[in-house]
Amino acid sequence: MSQSSKNISTVAPDLRSRIGNVEFKNPVLVASGTFGYGAEAKDYCDIEQLGGIVTKSVSWKPRVGNHPHRIVETPSGMLNSIGLANVGVHTFVKEKLPYLAKFDTKIIANIAASSMEEYRDVLELIEQNAVENLAGYEINVSCPNVKDGGLSFGTSVERTEELTALLRQSTDRLLIIKLTPNVTSVAPFAQACERAGADAISLINTVVGMAVDIYNREPRLSTVTGGVSGPAVKPIALAKVYDARKASAIPIIGIGGIITAEDAVEFLIVGSSVIQVGTANFVHPDAGVRVAKGLEEFLRAQGIAHVTELVNSLKVRAELKAAGW
Ligand SMILES: Cc1cc2nc3c(=O)[nH]c(=O)nc-3n(C[C@H](O)[C@H](O)[C@H](O)COP(=O)(O)O)c2cc1C
């Protein structure tokens, strides 16, 4: 341990993290679709200890989502095909946002839609009803479980760029584009978001997957395929974050299989400024708080004064970098 780290080890580490002009009290957010709209988890989780909450994807009209079965457990993860079930943006601004305004933490509203105009209209309605702790928007262009939207944007660099530029005109709050791992490389998508004025990208959404009932020989999900999440996807997510980090300077929100503080540290080192905890919330609804506390302990034990020292600190040998790794 260095002399300077000995000096700081008794002082509480600084977990404050920043994207654009927004400061989060720590870099641990909860991921869209895994924490409802906050109320669902409030009895089990001290929400104010989270850096922020990303709300369930909201669309213009309410959606009931896909037929059951919509969830299958998989080794080290889960497969879901919820299909963007949500209350619709009018109920969101009338009931859900005012409830979330009570908490001393940042709120990011996640939006899903099937056309450019719908994304814009949902964002603008939320903007007109914004509450003080609304930090910004996460734009879901990466849901693999619906036919009409999501991935049809998120697998086209041109449409991702066009949508980002359009939405940029409607808000000065954080504009975060949530990318899919279901493409060969996320690099051109990261660059497109940066060009079009996004404040950050978040990745990954779920990885397309499938499960089969071997007795009746039917798919186990009503939609045949769904999205895999949880620890099984963490190595994929880390590689995608690294791919985006090498290709652009845009801030990254790392997501995918984060269960422990050590998982979060990996994402920070690879280049994420903040991270999101998703599937782990279904095991422990306070998983995000556990990760934030664990992160503080890790920093203290390692004599690291500011969590930001970890961000983008991956050591890759020069010859490997030169060879494109
Ligand atoms: C049941 C379930 C529902 C989800 N719903 C949404 C959603 O509505 N919008 C969205 O952008 N991502 C949604 N996701 C994706 C997560 O936010 C996250 O990107 C993904 O699960 C990877 O993180 P994890 O491995 O920590 O869960 C959902 C994931 C799960 C498991």
Side-chain angles (χ1 to χ4, degrees):
M1 191 182 280
S2 69
Q3 187 58 42
S4 64
S5 50
K6 268 187 205 155
N7 290 343
I8 56 174
S9 59
T10 52
V11 180
D14 187 350
L15 278 107
R16 286 173 300 170
S17 300
R18 183 171 277 280
I19 291 187
N21 57 7
V22 173
E23 184 180 274
F24 299 89
K25 61 175 82 167
N26 65 56
V28 184
L29 281 57
V30 283
S32 180
T34 65
F35 205 76
Y37 303 99
E40 296 83 346
K42 72 161 188 346
D43 295 336
Y44 311 98
C45 176
D46 182 355
I47 286 176
E48 299 196 342
Q49 292 196 46
L50 293 169
I53 297 176
V54 185
T55 53
K56 172 75 189 164
S57 279
V58 65
S59 49
W60 184 254
K61 289 188 181 155
R63 293 177 63 111
V64 292
N66 295 327
H67 291 292
H69 293 286
R70 315 201 288 191
I71 298 271
V72 174
E73 195 170 334
T74 62
S76 296
M78 64 189 272
L79 183 58
N80 94 81
S81 173
I82 303 295
L84 301 176
N86 78 89
V87 296
V89 70
H90 293 89
T91 302
F92 180 77
V93 296
K94 208 155 48 169
E95 294 172 15
K96 308 299 180 186
L97 255 192
Y99 175 79
L100 288 163
K102 291 191 274 193
F103 296 100
D104 176 19
T105 192
K106 302 289 186 212
I107 306 303
I108 294 176
N110 179 302
I111 300 175
S114 52
S115 68
M116 301 255 179
E117 295 70 30
E118 185 185 353
Y119 277 109
R120 186 198 53 207
D121 293 349
V122 172
L123 188 149
E124 288 186 351
L125 192 68
I126 301 174
E127 190 72 5
Q128 285 154 21
N129 292 276
V131 293
E132 207 184 319
N133 57 343
L134 179 71
Y137 305 92
E138 182 177 68
I139 308 303
N140 180 1
V141 291
S142 43
C143 179
N145 306 323
V146 291
K147 283 263 172 281
D148 56 341
L151 272 187
S152 63
F153 289 91
T155 52
S156 158
V157 174
E158 292 72 28
R159 295 191 87 195
T160 299
E161 184 163 355
E162 202 184 328
L163 178 65
T164 306
L166 178 78
L167 298 181
R168 183 69 287 172
Q169 293 168 30
S170 298
T171 183
D172 291 328
R173 289 175 215 276
L174 291 186
L175 181 62
I176 302 159
I177 311 298
K178 184 167 182 179
L179 300 182
T180 180
N182 301 302
V183 290
T184 308
S185 169
V186 294
F189 293 88
Q191 290 163 344
C193 294
E194 189 174 22
R195 270 197 306 274
D199 295 290
I201 51 172
S202 55
L203 67 165
I204 58 172
N205 207 320
T206 52
V207 180
V208 172
M210 182 172 174
V212 176
D213 182 328
I214 58 169
Y215 298 103
N216 65 19
R217 302 187 189 181
E218 288 180 357
R220 292 183 65 190
L221 287 176
S222 68
T223 50
V224 183
T225 59
V228 185
S229 63
V233 307
K234 192 184 86 171
I236 299 170
L238 283 169
K240 296 293 181 189
V241 169
Y242 183 59
D243 189 16
R245 176 71 306 140
K246 283 192 299 178
S248 82
I250 194 167
I252 296 175
I253 302 179
I255 323 168
I258 297 175
I259 306 290
T260 65
E262 288 76 11
D263 296 330
V265 171
E266 283 190 73
F267 276 87
L268 297 171
I269 290 174
V270 169
S272 315
S273 301
V274 306
I275 58 97
Q276 295 178 16
V277 173
T279 298
N281 291 304
F282 296 118
V283 183
H284 297 294
D286 65 344
V289 173
R290 291 174 190 230
V291 170
K293 283 192 176 145
L295 197 51
E296 182 172 346
E297 280 162 29
F298 176 85
L299 295 177
R300 201 187 288 271
Q302 296 298 314
I304 299 171
H306 301 274
V307 72
T308 50
E309 290 173 36
L310 290 172
V311 174
N312 205 15
S313 62
L314 187 72
K315 295 174 184 164
V316 180
R317 289 204 314 274
E319 63 269 29
L320 286 177
K321 274 192 183 166
W325 291 101

